[in-house]
Amino acid sequence: MTNLSKSCGEQLTENFNSSYDAEVDPVKTYSDSLSADLAFYERVRDTKRNNTRKHVYSDVLKAETGNSFLVKAGQVIRIEQRPNAKGNNGRTQIMDVLMVTTDLAQYSDHLNSTAIEGFNQRLMSGIWSQSRHFRKMATLVEDEFPYEELEDGFTHIWLAAHCSPEYIGLAHGLDKVTNSCHENFMHAFNRIPAIANIQDEKLRKEVVQYFADRNDWNIFQGNQFMLDEQNITRARMCPTPPVKDGTAIEWYAEQDMYVVISNCPYGDQHTCYTKIENNDVFIEVFDTGIEPYAPALTDKIQGWAGEAWKRVEARDSSLAEQQPLEPVTLQFPIDVIDLNQ
């Protein structure tokens, strides 16, 4: 835990020092306040080691597709590589992962997850939902990846963007785009019953687009964050080494949710996009019988919006600086309501 007992006044009167100080690093104080209960998650892991967890269902995530897998609180989802299965190419398959609660209220969030867990995941790392909810959604309880096969400093689970028609079109030309993770996420979210049953087609597609636009967790994707020649931090990706059949990661579900996975069409970076042949991936869900404790960790910070709006509305309410503009049609970020009515 960081020591926050030093008064702000005392800190300000000392000689200024710009070197790193963990005791006053805001991000570290945030993450320290939500440290994982390692003993609890070892109990979850013991259900695999002792073969006491119960199999719920199995599925196959086919190459070039997306799907959503229901995982209830207390269950784990196992995402397994079988490079040498019939029809697969002997190499590791990259995937992209998002999560959404069954009521669609919460989704796996870049902002809160990076503040608490950082940009990479390792064993016992968590995934958190967005502002106004800020609940833990999942915890990584198994990571069987052979890290020794990667170059020093590289990892394989990281939070970033996913390939899209725009990105692939920029690199190869729009006429070469045959699929993307974005399209796979559209496919996957559209398979969630609560979304598929939206009768208004425009609304349904906008909801799908909204969720597909989220940054996601790239898995089995060799990467390292590093400074480029201009000292700008960038993610650098490397071809992922082949893993053995049966190599997997597992997330423990802290809430009832769908784990939404794109089987990345750019999923074998030993070659270029137009020549890739991708693999099926194997999914299993198990019930550990252990009830989550983590969602209650943020009970104490719920319900802040009302007081925040009071403070906002008490401030200067003059409008932003105006310049002459051509008339525009206003649109909400999710284009489902008409602001001009």
Side-chain angles (χ1 to χ4, degrees), residues 97-312:
V97 180
L98 288 166
M99 299 173 183
V100 65
T101 53
T102 52
D103 61 2
L104 307 183
Q106 300 178 60
Y107 55 80
S108 48
D109 181 56
H110 185 146
L111 177 65
N112 287 336
S113 294
T114 53
I116 303 303
E117 308 288 349
F119 290 94
N120 294 91
Q121 290 245 307
R122 285 294 180 100
L123 199 62
M124 308 301 190
S125 291
I127 295 176
W128 299 80
S129 65
Q130 79 275 23
S131 177
R132 291 192 302 157
H133 299 281
F134 202 171
R135 302 284 190 182
K136 199 174 193 185
M137 299 191 72
T139 301
L140 187 70
V141 292
E142 294 294 339
D143 182 5
E144 300 164 359
F145 189 87
Y147 284 92
E148 67 277 6
E149 300 290 332
L150 288 172
E151 291 185 37
D152 288 346
F154 279 75
T155 185
H156 85 99
I157 307 177
W158 55 296
L159 183 54
H162 49 260
C163 64
S164 67
E166 293 97 335
Y167 294 159
I168 295 170
L170 285 170
H172 302 283
L174 203 56
D175 61 317
K176 297 295 193 298
V177 177
T178 58
N179 195 8
S180 67
C181 277
H182 194 87
E183 293 176 43
N184 282 347
F185 278 133
M186 292 165 64
H187 182 205
F189 279 107
N190 204 45
R191 300 174 80 169
I192 294 175
I195 296 176
N197 290 328
I198 296 173
Q199 296 301 306
D200 184 312
E201 181 181 8
K202 179 181 179 182
L203 173 59
R204 176 175 54 79
K205 288 182 176 179
E206 289 293 341
V207 170
V208 166
Q209 176 69 26
Y210 177 80
F211 285 122
D213 272 338
R214 304 307 98 195
N215 279 5
D216 64 81
W217 280 259
N218 293 238
I219 63 174
F220 296 101
Q221 166 67 82
N223 84 95
Q224 183 182 38
F225 288 97
M226 60 180 69
L227 295 178
D228 68 10
E229 60 279 1
Q230 295 178 298
N231 284 332
I232 297 173
T233 301
R234 298 187 184 276
R236 298 304 191 196
M237 294 180 282
C238 68
T240 307
V243 298
K244 295 179 180 177
D245 286 355
T247 302
I249 66 170
E250 295 184 7
W251 272 297
Y252 170 79
E254 309 281 359
Q255 304 185 59
D256 293 351
M257 65 179 181
Y258 289 97
V259 177
V260 185
I261 309 179
S262 164
N263 193 329
C264 180
Y266 219 145
D268 175 12
Q269 292 172 1
H270 292 80
T271 186
C272 67
Y273 170 78
T274 56
K275 296 182 179 180
I276 290 173
E277 296 180 3
N278 291 294
N279 291 341
D280 295 345
V281 177
F282 299 83
I283 306 296
E284 292 182 289
V285 173
F286 298 90
D287 191 348
T288 68
I290 298 175
E291 185 177 347
Y293 79 96
L297 288 173
T298 54
D299 280 350
K300 63 184 179 183
I301 56 171
Q302 302 299 318
W304 55 265
E307 291 302 314
W309 272 111
K310 288 180 184 177
R311 293 189 292 269
V312 168

Side-chain angles (χ1 to χ4, degrees), residues 66-79:
N67 205 351
S68 297
F69 302 96
L70 178 61
V71 189
K72 299 178 74 173
Q75 296 178 353
V76 297
I77 183 169
R78 180 174 177 85
I79 305 169

